[in-house]
Amino acid sequence: MMPSYFFAHGAPSLVIEDHEYTSFLKNFAATLPRKPKAIVIFSAHWEHTVQQVSAVDTHGTIYDFSGFPEEMYRMTYPASGDASLSEQVLSLLNGAGIPAVPDTDRGLDHGSWAVLKLIYPNADIPVVALSVNRYLDNAQQYEIGKALAELREQDVLIIGSGGIVHNLRQIKWGAGAESVDAWAAEFDTWIEKRLKDWNLEELFRYRELAPYAERAVPTSEHFIPLLLAMGSGDGARTAELLHRSYQWGSLSLTAWQFG
């Protein structure tokens, strides 16, 4: 069965950066047991109050950022869609009591394409993108991922793209990779233990229980994809930290495997 994954997408410039985490992503595909039949990806940068499921022939590329190097605005990621998979995702979600609708227009935002371009640069695997909804509680987020778990049996790669410690107001521009703010590391470590123990009761209450939670997660949209990816690994309930590093003091670049 294909594991599911959470990947931090950092800043939009991740796709042109050269460091330990980008090297990890570039080499990640080789660690999988086989090439995925398709990819289902949740991005923190597609927010909607009703679950959206992409249903396009070919994805456009959304440049949902400004002030970055010109080369980034020339990049594309024209991955094809997968109509039958989109229908299956919609059926699984609606069948689990999670209202979901197709979206036939939207392209891939940088939360999706910047990560995928590093992992599968040829855009040769069909992609179905999904939105996130910050107004659901954490248990509901987990259930959305759980509803899609059977896709892993069909060699579909499920990815949540976001960030565990993601507070742009706390960034220290110019800080090197070796400079890690203690509060960010402490929050990350607290989350790590709950993931490895599969302690859903405490994880779902991270905002009230975890140290520095409000500082690490000022808004929840980047944290949600972690719960979605974890939910899709509910059958096995195993979590493995594959990579963790930091940028600019506190922006965590983390990769987790579930199942």
Side-chain angles (χ1 to χ4, degrees):
M1 184 180 293
M2 187 73 70
S4 58
Y5 294 89
F6 169 81
F7 295 123
H9 60 243
S13 55
L14 180 76
V15 71
I16 60 171
E17 294 168 3
D18 182 16
H19 47 64
E20 184 181 350
Y21 184 54
T22 56
S23 294
F24 164 82
L25 290 175
K26 290 174 183 178
N27 292 307
F28 168 75
T31 69
L32 291 177
R34 54 202 164 273
K35 187 175 181 178
K37 182 185 76 172
I39 297 169
V40 166
I41 185 166
F42 292 90
S43 171
H45 288 274
W46 186 6
E47 290 194 71
H48 205 285
T49 55
V50 176
Q51 182 66 60
Q52 306 289 302
V53 178
S54 71
V56 301
D57 292 329
T58 303
H59 291 280
T61 305
I62 301 173
Y63 307 102
D64 51 335
F65 46 80
S66 61
F68 287 88
E70 184 61 31
E71 65 180 293
M72 293 179 59
Y73 301 92
R74 296 192 294 269
M75 290 181 173
T76 60
Y77 197 79
S80 65
D82 185 323
S84 62
L85 180 57
S86 293
E87 285 297 325
Q88 185 179 7
V89 169
L90 287 164
S91 177
L92 289 172
L93 291 171
N94 284 304
I98 301 162
V101 297
D103 182 290
T104 58
D105 298 311
R106 197 177 191 276
L108 297 176
D109 58 66
H110 81 270
S112 293
W113 70 260
V115 169
L116 293 179
K117 196 171 183 68
L118 289 169
I119 300 174
Y120 292 109
N122 296 325
D124 57 353
I125 300 176
V127 173
V128 173
L130 285 85
S131 63
V132 302
N133 180 1
R134 72 169 76 183
Y135 299 105
L136 301 178
D137 65 34
N138 293 326
Q140 290 173 306
Q141 309 290 359
Y142 185 91
E143 290 300 316
I144 292 172
K146 186 176 178 180
L148 302 182
E150 70 179 65
L151 297 176
R152 297 168 50 224
E153 300 175 6
Q154 304 165 30
D155 285 345
V156 173
L157 177 61
I158 299 176
I159 295 174
S161 174
I164 295 179
V165 182
H166 189 278
N167 187 339
L168 302 184
R169 293 185 177 182
Q170 296 293 319
I171 281 176
K172 297 176 181 175
W173 298 109
E178 72 287 348
S179 176
V180 181
D181 291 344
W183 64 267
E186 189 171 343
F187 177 79
D188 243 339
T189 300
W190 190 95
I191 294 296
E192 175 184 354
K193 178 169 175 51
R194 275 69 190 174
L195 292 175
K196 288 183 174 179
D197 292 345
W198 216 272
N199 186 339
L200 298 181
E201 180 180 356
E202 292 189 3
L203 185 63
F204 291 167
R205 297 172 59 206
Y206 77 89
R207 193 165 287 280
E208 60 181 286
L209 298 178
Y212 306 106
E214 292 292 337
R215 195 172 182 181
V217 188
T219 56
S220 63
E221 76 288 339
H222 277 76
F223 193 88
I224 288 168
L226 176 70
L227 300 174
L228 296 165
M230 186 185 189
S232 66
D234 181 82
R237 294 201 165 195
T238 60
E240 181 181 357
L241 178 62
L242 302 181
H243 177 92
R244 182 164 61 211
S245 55
Y246 294 86
Q247 282 183 307
W248 310 308
S250 62
L251 186 64
S252 65
L253 301 177
T254 312
W256 279 92
Q257 175 181 300
F258 301 105

